[in-house]
Every structure is written in C-alpha cells, then in structure tokens.
Amino acid sequence: MDNEDFAFIEEQIGYEFENKMLLQQAFIRRSYSQEHPESENNEILEFIGDKALDFIIVRALSDYYGNYTDDDEYYNEFKEGKLTEIKKRLVESKMLAERISLLSFQDYLIMGRGDCQKNIQNETHVKEDLFEAIVGAVALDSDWDIDSLDTVIGMMLDYEHYLENGFTGNDNFTTMIQQWSQKKNLDFPYYEFAESD
C-alpha cells in the first residue's frame, strides 16, 4: 500500500492513522504472512475489532432507543430480545461484507498467491474479517477512543440509517449511488462528509 491508498481509505472511514502500518496490517491476510514471515496478518485485529464493533453498536442501541425516567432509571423502548435481533442484523457477516463491497476495500487486500488465484477477496467471510480488522486497527491506533471508533463504525456501517429506516435499504441513497456506479463500471464515488447542525 502507498500513501495514496492510505489517504483514500482514511478519508472513507473518517480517521487518520498515526501508525499507518496498523492500517496496512488490517489488509494483510494470513496467506500473505505465511509467504512473508516478516509481516503480521490481520487476525488479531479482527478479534479486537469484533469486540469494539459490538461495544459501539450496543452503545448506539442504548442511546437510540433508551433514556432515563424521571426517577433516573434507565428505560429502553425494546426488550433484550429485540435489541439482540437488531444488533445481530447490524453486525452479521452479510451486512459487514456488503459494506466493505460498497467501499471497495476488498480491492486493497494483501494476499498470498493461493488466495489471489481463488479470488478469495470476494468471499463474504473475508470481507467481514476485513471490516473487523479495520475497526481493530482504529481501536489500537486511537488508544480505544470511543469517538473515533463511533465515527469509523458510523461511516463504514452507516448504522444510523438502519436504525432510522430499518433494513430494507430502499432509501439509502449512498448505497444506491454506489451500486449504480458499480453496475456502470464507473469509478467509486468520492465523498466528502460534513457535520451539520
């Protein structure tokens, strides 16, 4: 990966790495590190990212659907089962893989020869692993900064859209533009994000 690749990925996730090698490691598959023993792969970052993702999503669900009563007790409009179902939908393999596809991050994977020959970068579990590894890299690089993790997961997963609109995706215009661009074999759309009041 070069500086241009780093800059593109960082812009898409809303986070600039202090340690660019952590970002690169997030994209290194075990097949590559087996061929290049001096390189660490992304498996431990996946583990870290999986836990960070769970935490941020549970936090988002508790904020989005819950509040405090007049007696300062916490109330949530959904029971545990419904919250578990929503969380499961947000972090399931298919969802994470689709989000990686929309970002075209699988194209940056660093893989061994066998993985390259099998086009393994297109497999759902590989894209899911990459999503989690990127989150894990951010967790370590930011020293577990909650705001950084929330920003990155928010931009990569767009979970607020699903909390607002459900899981049909029919009116997620970002997704629609990306899918249209891919069908037309156009360049990946360039996005700029700005906070609004």
Side-chain angles (χ1 to χ4, degrees):
M1 296 178 89
D2 59 26
N3 289 336
E4 194 174 311
D5 297 333
F6 290 140
F8 172 76
I9 293 165
E10 288 173 332
E11 191 158 347
Q12 297 304 304
I13 68 173
Y15 180 81
E16 186 174 344
F17 278 79
E18 292 287 326
N19 179 356
K20 306 289 188 200
M21 291 303 96
L22 269 177
L23 176 57
Q24 179 167 296
Q25 183 180 346
F27 286 81
I28 297 175
R29 301 258 317 142
R30 181 170 35 150
S31 63
Y32 182 86
S33 65
Q34 287 173 333
E35 293 174 9
H36 302 85
E38 72 282 1
S39 296
E40 294 291 335
N41 63 53
N42 66 4
E43 289 183 350
I44 192 66
L45 297 179
E46 291 170 37
F47 170 78
I48 294 167
D50 176 59
K51 304 313 173 209
L53 177 61
D54 278 352
F55 174 78
I56 293 298
I57 295 303
V58 168
R59 180 176 179 254
L61 295 178
S62 67
D63 289 347
Y64 191 81
Y65 296 115
N67 54 44
Y68 287 92
T69 66
D70 292 337
D71 296 329
D72 288 331
E73 294 178 326
Y74 178 77
Y75 167 80
N76 195 293
E77 68 180 88
F78 292 131
K79 301 288 184 212
E80 179 186 0
K82 178 67 172 176
L83 292 170
T84 299
E85 178 187 328
I86 295 169
K87 176 188 163 286
K88 181 180 174 188
R89 293 284 304 272
L90 285 170
V91 302
E92 68 185 349
S93 296
K94 181 182 172 191
M95 173 70 83
L96 300 183
E98 284 176 5
R99 299 303 301 179
I100 285 293
S101 293
L102 290 171
L103 293 165
S104 296
F105 284 175
Q106 73 277 7
D107 298 338
Y108 293 90
L109 278 166
I110 301 167
M111 305 180 293
R113 288 184 298 273
D115 279 358
C116 290
Q117 289 170 351
K118 296 174 187 171
N119 289 318
I120 202 163
Q121 74 275 5
N122 297 319
E123 294 187 11
T124 297
H125 75 91
V126 172
K127 294 179 197 176
E128 174 193 17
D129 293 347
L130 177 57
F131 190 108
E132 292 171 346
I134 294 169
V135 173
V138 170
L140 293 177
D141 191 69
S142 70
D143 195 24
W144 290 87
D145 180 69
I146 301 302
D147 291 335
S148 295
L149 286 166
D150 190 50
T151 296
V152 168
I153 292 168
M155 290 180 74
M156 287 179 66
L157 188 56
D158 194 14
Y159 63 79
E160 286 184 4
H161 166 79
Y162 297 101
L163 297 181
E164 289 283 333
N165 302 295
F167 292 89
T168 61
N170 292 337
D171 48 7
N172 182 337
F173 300 112
T174 303
T175 301
M176 292 168 67
I177 290 168
Q178 290 169 341
Q179 289 171 342
W180 179 82
S181 297
Q182 288 175 334
K183 285 180 187 173
K184 299 287 185 182
N185 292 323
L186 300 174
D187 289 337
F188 187 75
Y190 176 80
Y191 298 101
E192 286 189 20
F193 295 92
E195 288 191 28
S196 63
D197 295 334

